[in-house]
Amino acid sequence: MPVTVDIRTALPVRELTPLLEDAFSWLRWVADTFSPAKEDSQIGRLNRGQTIRQIPELIEVLHRCDELSEATGGWFEARRDGVIDPSGYIKGWALERLSRALSQAGAVDHRITAGNDIRVRGSAAPGKRWRIGIRDPRKDVVRKVVFANDLGIATSGAAPIVNPRTGRVQDGLSFVTVIGPDLGLADAYATAIYAMGPILARRFAADLAESGPYQTMIVGRDGQEVSTPGFIEYSGAEARLAG
């Protein structure tokens, strides 16, 4: 998947070049380690019952996936029929880790984009927030624009998502976008909410918004949109979450 890293902090080339090289080396390492499609990845080896290396990041991701399964009532599920696939969490987690590393290295103003997952920090220009267009993954048109200085934005609906209760692909929604302070969690929540289908999705999104900083926009197959109040604060839209 193409990944773009847009750094707006004024850094000399001698610092910027190795910083970007490290960024993409990290992303390649994540793909090589966590992709279930790669036979020699740690996830691939784990699924075949082979010996794996005790990598702290691997333990962290598997533990967090189990926590998210519990937090979503099993609607986010990285383990199915003896196969582990953390894809609903790993991309957001990897970009979140990269964003923190960039900030610690001095690149405090940046935007990272990978498909429908976006992480912004700092400013797009002095005194100017980032302007992020949320695209409908089915129609490839901008559905909503949000403005932020520090935010993770995750959208689910481009790739098939399985209802873990039935084992069938969920098709009751067009897409779900979740925003919040941690892109990995936003990514997992978006996956879980999409898997729930229209009715449960609205209820869970409302509860999630009341209990913490994660806000949701849900777009149905008919194009109708509902959003939690905190989401609207970033976009200025007037829609409200019904039900």
Side-chain angles (χ1 to χ4, degrees), residues 123-145:
S123 302
K128 185 177 180 181
R129 293 179 297 171
W130 290 94
R131 181 182 187 275
I132 307 108
I134 297 175
R135 306 187 75 85
D136 183 328
R138 296 175 182 267
K139 301 178 180 179
D140 196 30
V141 296
V142 174
R143 178 79 191 212
K144 184 81 68 181
V145 176

Side-chain angles (χ1 to χ4, degrees), residues 144-185:
K144 184 81 68 181
V145 176
V146 297
F147 300 87
N149 293 111
D150 187 354
L151 194 66
I153 304 103
T155 298
S156 290
I161 295 176
V162 173
N163 178 332
R165 306 283 175 88
T166 65
R168 298 176 181 175
V169 173
Q170 177 63 264
D171 60 359
L173 294 171
S174 180
F175 71 94
V176 172
T177 296
V178 176
I179 61 177
D182 185 296
L183 181 56
L185 295 183

